[in-house]
Amino acid sequence: MSGAALGIEIVVVFFLALFLLHRYADFRKQQRMVLFGTLLAWYLCFLIVFILPLDISTVIGARRTGLSVSRTVTLLGFSHSSFLALKVCYKPWSYIPDGIMPVFWRVVYWTSQCLTWLLLPFMQSYARSGGFSITGKIKTALIENAIYYGTYLLIFGSLLIYVAVHPQWYELQTIGITAANTWGLFLLVLLLGYGLVEIPRSYWNASRRGHLLIKTYFKAAKLMTEKADAEENLEDVMEEVRKVQESIKYNHPLRKYIDTVLRKCPVDYQEKMGRNMDDYEDFDDKQNTYPSEKSLVKLHKQVIYAVQRHNRTRVQWQILLQQAMHLEDVAKNETSSAHQFVHSFPSTEPTSWLSRYFYTPTVEWYWECLLRHWFYRLLAVVLSLFSVAVVWSECTFFSTRPVLSLFAVFIQLAERDYNYLYIEMACFITIFFLCTCVYSTVFRIRVFNYYYLASHHQTDAYSLQFSGMLFCRLTPPLCLNFLGLIHMDSAISHQLKEQTAYTSIMGSMRVLSFIANGFYIYYPMLILLLCIATYFSLGTRCLNLLGFQQFVGDNEMTSDLIDEGKELIRREKRKLQRIEDGENRRREWKERYGNTREDTARNRIRNEAAEMTETNYSDTIPNTNRQAKYSRTGRGTERDSIELLQDAEPLDFNAETLSDDPLEYNFLLCCGRYL
């Protein structure tokens, strides 16, 4: 099994990152560069989380094996217990050979740091640019990041001066890593303090009957306002595009840019603009003022943003509407004595074999109306205990004698019994919980409309790459903080033990003693204050006072938005009910009278066609009589057609397909009057 666990986890983590990216990004519309950069950033960060437990178990196994061998060599022939120690101690099943992990961590760490500090900011500006060529997008990205990269050059120049005075590359590398980890730890404590409280509380609130429904009404009112703003913004942008495309004709040099902008517009707007466009007018005939290429670049950027925002709010509204109707169905079915879950509206998606054989209406009723509440409460209690353990350990991990950190106690007990599987599972669960608290906050936070991770493939390129930057900056200090919690970081625990390969890559923080002995020890204690502030919703209440609508239970504005959202959901349900009733009536009418009407209509059309053919090809009638016959036949055809259309299905004709033949013209004219 040497190295097999490492290879398996590398493959599994790749598909996990690909799955999450597919959930938030649109593979068909997003740029390949955006998808590749985000996938690489997420993949490298997830690798650190999943591979670090293997590194810990490998180091503990090597440490215990070396200790047992030395004892046996020293006391050979004098101590039987030492011989037993050699027999009992063994390498872990996931042991990684020497020399692999240091190279692996160097590649992963420095690649992620290059992504977050150099490449992803440039790719953000490149993807958000409205330029029409690669050169134009690169130029825009360089201009937007000029200050960003200028700051880097200033810092790099200062470090070069430091190296000239103290020519030690190891110290320069340690300073760079320490600076990056310090900035990451600053963000980590803020996000972790929020997630440790909010995640258990969200599950506890989900177990409360009716709470989710009320919060969904509140979200519906807010989302409808955002949806209306997005539609209005799209209308304004499309009006500006219409004016520009009408002023620039087909032979203008800037026409190719207009065509690129039009392709980014919704299909219905493209059709409206296409019908009103006269491309056969020369642009030199009139003395018009034409927009510049710079203004078209700005318009292109506005179109991309407006269309993305409109699509996102439209999809989110449909998802929220389905959630609200499902929660209302749960509230109705809770009092049902039949123990059969009944949906207000049948699902349009085809039922899977799992739903057909296992997740039956009875099973669904027991899960939705009875078991889900208790399951969420139990999960909330377990997560709360984890949060308390994390807060306690963050405040006491610097104490090595006695050992106060709970996670350090658990790992040391498992180390004495050589239980490597337990060590790996305990490390993975702890790191996974910490990452869940931090990453869920990254997925939940929203900075107006500039950063917003929306599921169902509705996240824009800027937000995707910004999340990749956050992950790359947060994951290394998070894992380093976890190593401090279990006392496997000598810079914090001050113990002369063999360190993990990950810690060796990070370098010794003793070069900067004020960081190792001050900031890294006492700053994580602020998590306690942040958890208290989050528990009392101080941040939410402050945002609500500033005018940002937040869900606060004892607020008049919140109650008004809940009532508004409830009315919006009722209106949408009535609309869906009318559509469903209309479809049912048409289906019943077709099943009852459809076959008879189709046969009658088919026979009459065949007879009329035969009569019209005999009339058209009669060459023995004079010209005047033929015209009279056409006229009479046309009137008879019109009367018969009215009787025919009363029994037949309505038809749809296009005015451009009208024939010059009088009989066909009268027949289609009659159809137009009837329709």
Side-chain angles (χ1 to χ4, degrees):
M1 295 295 293
S2 179
L6 177 63
I8 293 173
E9 291 201 0
I10 289 175
V11 176
V12 172
V13 170
F14 174 78
F15 285 104
L16 174 62
L18 188 64
F19 170 76
L20 290 177
L21 183 62
H22 178 264
R23 176 177 173 81
Y24 288 91
D26 192 345
F27 285 178
R28 295 176 297 179
K29 297 181 180 180
Q30 292 284 3
Q31 301 179 15
R32 297 293 179 266
M33 180 186 67
V34 173
L35 296 176
F36 177 75
T38 307
L39 177 62
L40 183 60
W42 290 11
Y43 177 54
L44 293 176
C45 295
F46 295 163
L47 273 179
I48 298 176
V49 174
F50 279 78
I51 303 301
L52 186 59
L54 301 183
D55 190 6
I56 294 173
S57 64
T58 300
V59 170
I60 292 177
R63 183 190 304 170
R64 302 302 297 177
T65 303
L67 180 61
S68 300
V69 171
S70 62
R71 286 179 178 176
T72 304
V73 171
T74 304
L75 303 176
L76 186 60
F78 300 94
S79 176
H80 183 65
S81 60
S82 298
F83 179 74
L84 291 178
L86 181 62
K87 293 295 183 180
V88 172
C89 187
Y90 56 90
K91 293 182 179 179
W93 69 278
S94 58
Y95 181 80
I96 300 175
D98 296 338
I100 294 181
M101 291 308 301
V103 176
F104 177 82
W105 288 129
R106 285 192 181 94
V107 173
V108 170
Y109 179 77
W110 288 112
T111 304
S112 64
Q113 294 305 301
C114 289
L115 281 173
T116 186
W117 297 107
L118 297 177
L119 297 180
L120 286 180
F122 175 82
M123 294 166 66
Q124 265 188 312
S125 302
Y126 182 90
R128 192 175 53 177
S129 172
F132 298 100
S133 62
I134 298 178
T135 305
K137 291 183 178 182
I138 293 176
K139 181 180 178 181
T140 303
L142 290 176
I143 293 175
E144 290 184 357
N145 291 277
I147 300 178
Y148 192 73
Y149 290 126
T151 305
Y152 284 168
L153 291 177
L154 180 62
I155 296 175
F156 185 72
S158 302
L159 292 177
L160 287 179
I161 296 175
Y162 177 83
V163 172
V165 178
H166 303 84
Q168 295 181 3
W169 168 251
Y170 178 76
E171 294 185 4
L172 177 63
Q173 177 182 347
T174 303
I175 292 174
I177 294 175
T178 304
N181 289 337
T182 302
W183 172 247
L185 185 63
F186 177 78
L187 295 177
L188 175 66
V189 171
L190 297 178
L191 300 181
L192 186 59
Y194 176 82
L196 287 174
V197 176
E198 192 60 31
I199 290 181
R201 183 164 59 183
S202 63
Y203 283 103
W204 181 263
N205 290 333
S207 67
R208 296 165 55 189
R209 299 182 184 273
H211 182 271
L212 275 182
L213 183 58
I214 295 175
K215 194 170 184 179
T216 304
Y217 289 149
F218 177 83
K219 291 180 180 179
K222 289 187 60 177
L223 186 58
M224 177 55 70
T225 303
E226 183 183 351
K227 184 172 178 289
D229 293 341
E231 292 175 353
E232 183 179 355
N233 184 30
L234 182 63
E235 290 285 347
D236 295 340
V237 174
M238 291 299 104
E239 179 65 21
E240 188 175 353
V241 172
R242 185 189 62 81
K243 293 178 181 179
V244 173
Q245 71 94 19
E246 287 180 354
S247 64
I248 298 179
K249 302 304 176 181
Y250 76 102
N251 54 353
H252 195 281
L254 297 178
R255 184 63 197 183
K256 57 182 180 179
Y257 300 146
I258 296 297
D259 295 336
T260 303
V261 174
L262 289 176
R263 285 193 294 268
K264 301 296 178 59
C265 299
V267 178
D268 52 347
Y269 286 98
Q270 293 182 24
E271 294 177 353
K272 292 179 183 178
M273 296 176 188
R275 287 195 296 265
N276 299 328
M277 184 175 58
D278 185 11
D279 273 349
Y280 296 98
E281 183 179 358
D282 196 347
F283 74 94
D284 292 330
D285 293 341
K286 296 181 180 180
Q287 299 297 327
N288 296 329
T289 57
Y290 301 104
S292 62
E293 183 177 353
K294 186 177 180 179
S295 62
L296 291 180
V297 170
K298 183 179 179 181
L299 180 61
H300 187 205
K301 184 177 180 179
Q302 292 176 351
V303 168
I304 295 174
Y305 173 74
V307 172
Q308 171 67 29
R309 185 185 175 193
H310 176 261
N311 293 335
R312 182 179 63 199
T313 54
R314 178 177 54 83
V315 173
Q316 286 183 330
W317 174 254
Q318 296 297 327
I319 297 171
L320 189 63
L321 180 61
Q322 294 177 2
Q323 292 177 355
M325 291 190 297
H326 176 72
L327 292 174
E328 289 180 349
D329 291 341
V330 172
K332 292 179 181 179
N333 284 273
E334 284 179 350
T335 58
S336 175
S337 59
H339 295 179
Q340 297 281 331
F341 197 90
V342 180
H343 294 272
S344 300
F345 298 95
S347 179
T348 57
E349 300 179 357
T351 57
S352 61
W353 64 272
L354 183 62
S355 301
R356 192 162 49 248
Y357 295 105
F358 295 99
Y359 198 62
T360 60
T362 303
V363 176
E364 186 177 4
W365 186 90
Y366 277 101
W367 168 249
E368 295 290 345
C369 302
L370 188 62
L371 298 178
R372 180 191 287 269
H373 306 289
W374 295 105
F375 175 75
Y376 280 178
R377 289 188 179 184
L378 179 61
L379 184 60
V381 171
V382 173
L383 293 177
S384 300
L385 295 177
F386 263 100
S387 297
V388 172
V390 170
V391 173
W392 172 264
S393 300
E394 290 286 355
C395 296
T396 60
F397 72 94
F398 57 87
S399 176
T400 57
R401 293 180 182 178
V403 179
L404 298 179
S405 175
L406 298 179
F407 300 106
V409 172
F410 297 152
I411 297 301
Q412 290 178 7
L413 290 177
E415 183 178 355
R416 295 174 185 175
D417 298 333
Y418 309 103
N419 195 343
Y420 300 114
L421 182 61
Y422 170 82
I423 292 174
E424 293 175 5
M425 293 301 300
C427 292
F428 175 75
I429 292 175
T430 306
I431 297 177
F432 184 79
F433 177 72
L434 295 175
C435 291
T436 302
C437 294
V438 175
Y439 292 169
S440 63
T441 308
V442 173
F443 281 99
R444 287 184 181 185
I445 60 175
R446 176 177 178 179
V447 184
F448 301 104
N449 286 315
Y450 294 99
Y451 173 74
Y452 185 21
L453 287 176
S455 59
H456 296 81
H457 322 292
Q458 298 302 316
T459 306
D460 60 338
Y462 182 87
S463 299
L464 286 174
Q465 293 177 326
F466 190 77
S467 66
M469 293 169 57
L470 285 179
F471 285 169
C472 291
R473 296 178 186 182
L474 291 172
T475 305
L478 184 147
C479 293
L480 198 61
N481 178 258
F482 168 74
L483 291 175
L485 293 180
I486 61 176
H487 293 176
M488 295 197 69
D489 186 1
S490 60
I492 296 175
S493 62
H494 303 286
Q495 295 178 354
L496 298 177
K497 294 182 179 180
E498 185 178 356
Q499 302 297 306
T500 61
Y502 184 81
T503 310
S504 64
I505 297 303
M506 291 297 168
S508 177
M509 301 301 172
R510 294 173 183 173
V511 177
L512 303 175
S513 58
F514 68 95
I515 295 291
N517 299 326
F519 183 80
Y520 267 71
I521 292 178
Y522 298 106
Y523 180 72
M525 295 182 184
L526 292 178
I527 289 181
L528 179 61
L529 299 179
L530 292 172
C531 289
I532 295 174
T534 305
Y535 179 79
F536 291 102
S537 302
L538 297 182
T540 301
R541 297 181 186 275
C542 291
L543 290 175
N544 194 48
L545 291 176
L546 293 175
F548 299 97
Q549 299 169 350
Q550 301 293 320
F551 184 76
V552 181
D554 55 350
N555 186 273
E556 183 179 356
M557 183 181 296
T558 302
S559 301
D560 295 339
L561 289 175
I562 290 173
D563 295 336
E564 181 182 350
K566 186 183 297 184
E567 183 60 31
L568 290 172
I569 298 300
R570 289 176 181 175
R571 189 183 307 169
E572 293 293 334
K573 289 183 68 175
R574 288 195 297 266
K575 186 186 301 183
L576 292 176
Q577 188 65 47
R578 288 195 299 268
I579 295 174
E580 185 179 2
D581 293 342
E583 292 179 354
N584 292 334
R585 286 195 298 268
R586 284 192 293 269
R587 191 182 302 110
E588 292 176 0
W589 184 265
K590 186 175 181 181
E591 291 176 355
R592 183 177 300 178
Y593 302 106
N595 296 331
T596 305
R597 293 170 58 198
E598 290 178 0
D599 296 338
T600 304
R602 191 180 297 109
N603 293 332
R604 291 191 179 186
I605 291 175
R606 188 182 296 110
N607 295 334
E608 293 294 336
E611 293 179 2
M612 292 166 57
T613 304
E614 293 177 358
T615 304
N616 290 335
Y617 288 96
S618 178
D619 297 332
T620 60
I621 302 176
N623 189 22
T624 56
N625 295 334
R626 179 178 303 194
Q627 292 178 358
K629 188 173 182 179
Y630 281 154
S631 179
R632 289 193 300 271
T633 308
R635 288 192 296 271
T637 303
E638 183 176 352
R639 288 193 299 271
D640 295 338
S641 299
I642 293 176
E643 297 177 359
L644 174 64
L645 290 171
Q646 290 176 351
D647 295 330
E649 290 284 341
L651 303 176
D652 186 13
F653 292 99
N654 189 356
E656 298 178 356
T657 62
L658 293 178
S659 174
D660 295 332
D661 188 271
L663 292 174
E664 295 180 9
Y665 178 81
N666 290 331
F667 180 78
L668 296 177
L669 180 62
C670 174
C671 295
R673 291 174 181 172
Y674 177 78
L675 296 174

